[in-house]
Structures are given as structure tokens and as C-alpha cells.
Amino acid sequence: SVKAIRGSFFDITRVVDHPEEIEAHARLVEDGLLIIRNGCIDWFGQWEEGKGRIPSEVRVRDYRGKLIVPGFVDTHIHYPQSEMVGAYGEQLLEWLNQHTFPAERRYNDREYAREMSTFFIKQLLRNGTTTALVFGTVHPESVDALFEAASRINMRMIAGKVMMDRNAPDYLLDTAESSYLQSKALIERWHGNGRLLYAITPRFAPTSTPEQLAMAKRLREEYPTTYLHTHLCENKEEIAWVKSLFPEHQGYLDVYHQHGLTGHNCVFAHCIHLEEQEWDCLKETDSTIAFCPTSNLYLGSGLFKLHKAWHKQVKVGIGTDIGAGTTFNMLQTLNEAYKVMQLQSERLSAYQAFYLATLGGAHSLGLDEKIGSFATGKEADFVVLDPVATPLQQLRYDNSTTLRDKLFVLLTLGDDRSIYRTYVDGQLVHERG
Ligand code: GUN
Ligand code: FE
């Protein structure tokens, strides 16, 4: 099947080593054409140059006046926490006990997991997110339900079952052995099935015994193309707790590192309070950080040093971290990321922000050959943004002269109303009401 999309397209065309280089690779094609064949980008360029390539029976979808960008990549989110976003009052450890664990308990019910998977994917799509790295619950059924829902639209999604064998309520515990067997069965069923990929997912060091971490390592050795997804150095109390649970280790990251859980496609959410040798270890092992600004502000965890990650050349993606995060929306998340930088007397430019949410995010997940820009051959996941979704945005847009300014306004004032259409695998999957 062939589709032809006309409109203004914006992307960052290349993976960069330094954030200052991003702007040089920003590309705006004001009157552009995207030709999609079988879910992949067959041709992309100027309308005038490409219009002769459109097969005569194909009707052009005309989005002139909108701005088309690659689909957003959310590098850290919990699907079983949608129902407790905005739970009042506590920081990480109390928040987990009071709100999170009881919410996750319900996912032992397959029907409930199915309903919530559908809800979750709809929320991603109505916010322009077309790829996500997702936590399930400890229940393997929760992951089956999510992958089934994603596979229905051939969405590129990475997810895994939580491994957690201590320091949580009994109703949410597995064992080292059962977590290994259940994860293995899920990997066999889903990893590389269509566009789906599996992430081995120990929740965080405090909820796994050394025996369970050894099982996670074994899985990673048996399935080297899977991901490793966990939390790291989010909260000071959490860090002190890890040090008391693992006194023989040099620090929090060392627990993962000594268990073989660092490396390419190992994704660590938060990383707010890293020590110098932990930054170095992340760099040396080619690990990835998921920066989750709304969550870090909401739980009062702290301010992530994105500038330091850039300086150290550690890969970073951006995550919403629902339900500690407070929005599924990537524009709103970038808006908060900008403010987190401001509070540290640093800056996040519009180009850098869009890079984090698209090609940079894809790169942080090892997927930059497949998604994140409009390069020929890539998978056709993209968002049609409405830059003037509200009267204020219209006013501000009319008073912007440069692309830089327009983009910045979009990510400062934008939200789900800005998401006009979402396409996954070349198919229209969300239309704004
Ligand atoms: N650390 C361990 N589990 C969680 C979780 O569910 N959310 C957040 N934000 N941090 C965690
Ligand atoms: Fe999280």
C-alpha cells in the first residue's frame, strides 16, 4: 500500500556527538512530500520534485499549515500507573508503598490488563508518542496484554515484566527462579516479534536479591539483543537504602555493573544524584539515561544534569515516567525539561529538545537506523502537529519570525491539543477530536 503526505516537515537528520551540532542538522522542508510504501518511507523531499512519483490512484493527504515531525520516543514509562497519576503528597519510597504497589496489584487480572493496555496505547498516540520503553508489572499477563495491544497496530514498543523478589508487598513478589522463567517465556514469545522488543526489567536494586540480579544477567547473556530497563539514583533516601542493602558494592550503579547489567541498550531512569565514577561507568559501558523531568519535579527527586550528560557524552533519552510523571505529552515534558535546565542556569534549545524527543531518543535506544527522522527506508511513524491549537498559540505564532522561535513556542505552550494526527507504521492511528 502506498500513501502520499504533503505538508511542512521538520526533523533532525543526524545523530550528533555534541548538542551544539544539532542545529546544523535541523531540516525544514516547507512544502514537502513523504511517500510511504508498506509502512516505510519510500521517498522524502520537496513536493515539486517528488509529486511525479505519486501513483495516479493515490490520493494525497494535504496537511499544509501544520508541522509534521517524527513520532516521539518516550524512553521511560510505566503502563500500570496510569490510574494513579497525581497521587498526593510523598517522595519516592512512601509514594511507591502508598500508591504505586496497590495500583499495580490489579494487573494480575488479565481482563483488567487488557483494558488498561488499550487505554495506555491510546494515551500515547493522542500525545504523539509512537515508540516507548515500558514497565509492566510483576505479572507476566500484564506484558502479554500490552504487547498484544501494540501488535494490533504494529507499533514499535519495548516492554518487560518487572522482576521484584523482596521489599515489596507479598502480592507483588516473584522469586529469582520464577522471574527468570517468566521473563524467558515472554522473550521467546515477543522479542523481535514484528516491531516488538523485550526489556529485562528488575524494578530497582532495593527490590531484587543478588540471586535475582544474577538471573537478570543470565537472561541478558542468553538474549544479548534484549534491553535492560531499571531505575538508578533517583532519590537520596533510595540511594542510602541501596548502600545499606549492598554494603560490599562501591555505590548504587556498581550493584548493576557487577551483576553484568550495564552496557549498550541498558536504560537507567533518572540518574539525578550520580557520583563522578558513576558518570564514567555509564559512558564507558555505553549505557543510556532516561531523563524524566515531570517525575523528578513531582516527586521532588531533584534536577537532572543534562548538561553534564552532554559533557560526559552519555546517551540520554527523555521519559514521561507516568505515573510519577504527570503527563503523557512530550511537548509538556520538554517544557519542564527546559525549566529544569533553567533552575541550574543552563539552557535547552528548541532544536536540542526536539532531538531528545525524536532522533536522539531513538539513538538512546539503539533504534536510530529505524526511527526518529524522515530518512528513506525508515519506519513511517510521525506526528502532524497543529502549531496554532489555541488562541494564545495563534497570537504567539503570529508574533514569531524564526523557526527556532516557532518551535520553542510549540514546546512551551503545546499539549495534547497540538497533536492533530498520529501515524504508526504508515497508518493513521489518532485524529484529534
Ligand atoms: N523506583 C522504583 N520503582 C519506581 C517507580 O515505579 N517509579 C519511579 N519513579 N521510581 C521507581
Ligand atoms: Fe519510573
Side-chain angles (χ1 to χ4, degrees):
S1 78
V2 177
K3 285 196 185 66
I5 312 283
R6 182 176 185 181
S8 293
F9 292 81
F10 175 74
D11 67 350
I12 309 289
T13 57
R14 257 197 47 183
V15 170
V16 301
D17 292 326
H18 302 283
E20 313 81 62
E21 298 165 24
I22 292 169
E23 184 167 354
H25 301 288
R27 164 172 67 175
L28 177 71
V29 181
E30 269 189 84
D31 188 11
L33 170 66
L34 184 73
I35 302 179
I36 302 161
R37 195 179 293 270
N38 300 328
C40 288
I41 298 173
D42 196 49
W43 192 88
F44 174 65
Q46 304 285 346
W47 166 259
E48 280 301 327
E49 197 187 321
K51 64 184 182 190
R53 298 170 180 267
I54 305 170
S56 57
E57 73 280 7
V58 172
R59 185 183 58 84
V60 176
R61 300 184 187 194
D62 191 343
Y63 293 122
R64 278 177 291 174
K66 303 289 190 287
L67 183 69
I68 307 173
V69 301
F72 298 134
V73 179
D74 188 337
T75 62
H76 179 68
I77 185 166
H78 300 252
Y79 108 80
Q81 295 180 12
S82 307
E83 51 278 75
M84 41 92 48
V85 175
Y88 179 78
E90 283 110 350
Q91 294 212 346
L92 176 64
L93 300 177
E94 302 78 26
W95 175 86
L96 283 172
N97 285 315
Q98 302 269 328
H99 305 293
T100 315
F101 293 149
E104 294 191 6
R105 179 178 201 168
R106 301 177 66 183
Y107 285 75
N108 66 348
D109 175 347
R110 197 177 283 269
E111 269 315 305
Y112 184 71
R114 282 202 188 113
E115 265 170 50
M116 293 310 295
S117 294
T118 303
F119 176 86
F120 175 78
I121 287 177
K122 274 197 183 139
Q123 296 307 302
L124 293 178
L125 300 176
R126 75 191 298 279
N127 286 288
T129 297
T130 54
T131 287
L133 172 57
V134 188
F135 259 69
T137 63
V138 74
H139 316 99
E141 303 87 327
S142 74
V143 177
D144 279 323
L146 184 68
F147 276 141
E148 278 161 17
S151 71
R152 264 179 243 132
I153 55 168
N154 201 22
M155 186 174 186
R156 190 166 270 292
M157 182 173 286
I158 313 166
K161 170 204 124 68
V162 167
M163 303 171 76
M164 171 154 74
D165 67 346
R166 64 166 165 175
N167 292 322
D170 285 345
Y171 59 76
L172 279 184
L173 294 181
D174 54 16
T175 66
E177 166 90 0
S178 71
S179 70
Y180 169 79
L181 293 172
Q182 291 171 347
S183 300
K184 189 177 175 75
L186 288 165
I187 292 168
E188 293 283 344
R189 194 170 315 140
W190 296 109
H191 184 62
N193 179 340
R195 299 173 77 194
L196 304 174
L197 295 162
Y198 194 84
I200 298 158
T201 310
R203 179 172 213 116
F204 65 156
T207 48
S208 286
T209 59
E211 293 70 37
Q212 184 166 61
L213 295 175
M215 287 298 170
K217 177 182 191 196
R218 189 166 150 199
L219 287 166
R220 215 171 138 63
E221 286 166 354
E222 288 178 54
Y223 302 97
T225 60
T226 55
Y227 290 73
L228 184 288
H229 186 195
T230 190
H231 297 90
L232 173 64
C233 295
E234 176 176 8
N235 168 290
K236 290 192 173 152
E237 258 185 75
E238 170 212 15
I239 295 169
W241 192 22
V242 173
K243 288 181 175 166
S244 75
L245 289 168
F246 295 91
E248 67 284 14
H249 285 269
Q250 278 172 31
Y252 194 160
L253 179 56
D254 191 54
V255 176
Y256 297 134
H257 186 59
Q258 295 302 326
H259 286 91
L261 304 178
T262 50
H264 182 64
N265 287 345
C266 291
V267 182
F268 298 96
H270 309 302
C271 299
I272 296 170
H273 311 284
L274 294 179
E275 291 172 22
E276 204 59 33
Q277 76 268 17
E278 294 180 312
W279 282 106
D280 293 335
C281 178
L282 290 174
K283 168 63 186 166
E284 282 156 20
T285 57
D286 193 29
S287 300
T288 287
I289 296 173
F291 169 28
C292 306
T294 74
S295 166
N296 299 162
L297 295 171
Y298 186 74
L299 290 182
S301 304
L303 305 174
F304 175 66
K305 298 184 186 70
L306 178 60
H307 45 290
K308 179 132 188 184
W310 280 335
H311 176 70
K312 290 276 186 182
Q313 293 193 34
V314 176
K315 287 193 279 192
V316 181
I318 195 141
T320 60
D321 195 28
I322 289 284
T326 51
T327 178
F328 278 82
N329 190 271
M330 201 50 77
L331 300 171
Q332 291 182 309
T333 304
L334 295 171
N335 175 16
E336 297 304 299
Y338 175 79
K339 295 172 191 168
V340 166
M341 294 293 272
Q342 281 283 43
L343 284 170
Q344 302 176 92
S345 302
E346 297 284 341
R347 294 289 175 281
L348 177 66
S349 78
Y351 297 111
Q352 291 163 352
F354 269 91
Y355 178 74
L356 281 179
T358 57
L359 188 63
H363 177 60
S364 80
L365 299 180
L367 293 172
D368 48 294
E369 305 268 289
K370 304 212 180 289
I371 55 171
S373 73
F374 294 114
T376 307
K378 279 195 178 177
E379 297 163 355
D381 294 345
F382 55 94
V383 192
V384 184
L385 296 173
D386 180 356
V388 292
T390 68
L392 178 61
Q393 287 174 35
Q394 180 77 58
L395 175 73
R396 192 56 187 81
Y397 190 83
D398 293 343
N399 283 279
S400 310
T401 48
T402 62
L403 174 64
R404 176 202 307 265
D405 195 27
K406 288 188 169 106
L407 288 172
F408 191 70
V409 170
L410 187 58
L411 67 85
T412 304
L413 300 183
D415 55 30
D416 54 336
R417 292 169 295 186
S418 315
I419 312 299
Y420 184 67
R421 299 284 187 271
T422 304
Y423 282 78
V424 163
D425 193 37
Q427 304 285 343
L428 180 63
V429 289
H430 168 73
E431 288 186 77
R432 189 180 69 190

